[in-house]
Each structure stands twice: as structure tokens, then as C-alpha cells.
Amino acid sequence: MTHKLIFNKTLDFKRLLKRTKISWFVATSLLVLFLIRISFKVGKIESWMWVPIVTVSVGSIAAGILYYFLVDHLASTPKIKFLMTFVSILGFIVACWLSCIFGLDQVGLWH
């Protein structure tokens, strides 16, 4: 008995939006907890504390969306799935690195 894999683009897009909302919620919650902890220690929250965190979170979410599209939609065989996973991991590293550079450059800590 074989099971045919049927793609429903609307349902997949809804799942993608749901996962993106969850990742945004987790990233925002961690950011708020971090800023509350810092604000008690320092007394005020400065932009150099939260801008890099937000940009790296956005870069990570973008890399997660890249992984979702590459592995779940383009990978058909195990070899291609392994290759797409490898490309997604490289894309995740590049996205995090570039978003970190962008965040540090926005606050003037990257020269």
C-alpha cells in the first residue's frame, strides 16, 4: 500500500505563516525577557543592546523560511534532501552572520 504525497499550497502557506508567527513570538519573548533583565541591572535600555538581537532574530527566521522551502518543497530524493539540508545550514550561517553585521553596523559597533 503506497501513499501518494499530495501538496496543498494553501495549507502549506498557512503552516508556514503559523510557524513564522510562533518563531516571531518566541524571538520577541526572549528579547523582552532579556531587556527586562538588563534594564534592572543597567537602569536603562540602550539601542546597542536590542538592535543586534532583533536583526539576528529576523535573519534566523528568514533562514528558517529558506529551510522550509528548500527541504519541504524542493527535496524529492534522499540525496537531494541531504544537499538541500546542507545548503540550508550554510544559508542559516550566512543569514545570521550578515544580520549580525547589519545590526552592529546600525548601532556603530562595526567598522
Side-chain angles (χ1 to χ4, degrees):
M1 179 180 202
T2 60
H3 177 69
K4 289 187 177 182
L5 192 59
I6 300 171
F7 289 109
N8 185 351
K9 300 266 184 206
T10 307
L11 185 61
D12 287 343
F13 187 69
K14 287 181 182 179
R15 288 179 186 163
L16 174 68
L17 286 178
K18 187 165 87 173
R19 290 176 183 168
T20 304
K21 288 178 188 177
I22 290 171
S23 61
W24 272 100
F25 176 73
V26 169
T28 306
S29 301
L30 291 175
L31 176 66
V32 167
L33 290 175
F34 174 75
L35 292 178
I36 288 172
R37 177 178 264 177
I38 292 292
S39 67
F40 288 129
K41 291 181 181 177
V42 177
K44 63 180 181 175
I45 299 171
E46 298 175 5
S47 66
W48 68 268
M49 295 178 191
W50 61 270
V51 170
I53 293 172
V54 170
T55 57
V56 170
S57 299
V58 169
S60 300
I61 291 168
I65 292 171
L66 174 74
Y67 175 79
Y68 173 76
F69 278 119
L70 286 179
V71 174
D72 289 347
H73 290 291
L74 297 178
S76 58
T77 64
K79 289 182 181 180
I80 294 176
K81 188 170 186 172
F82 177 75
L83 179 66
M84 292 297 177
T85 303
F86 181 72
V87 168
S88 298
I89 290 171
L90 286 177
F92 179 77
I93 292 170
V94 168
C96 286
W97 178 252
L98 289 177
S99 60
C100 181
I101 291 172
F102 179 73
L104 292 174
D105 187 46
Q106 291 299 313
V107 295
L109 296 175
W110 187 271
H111 298 289

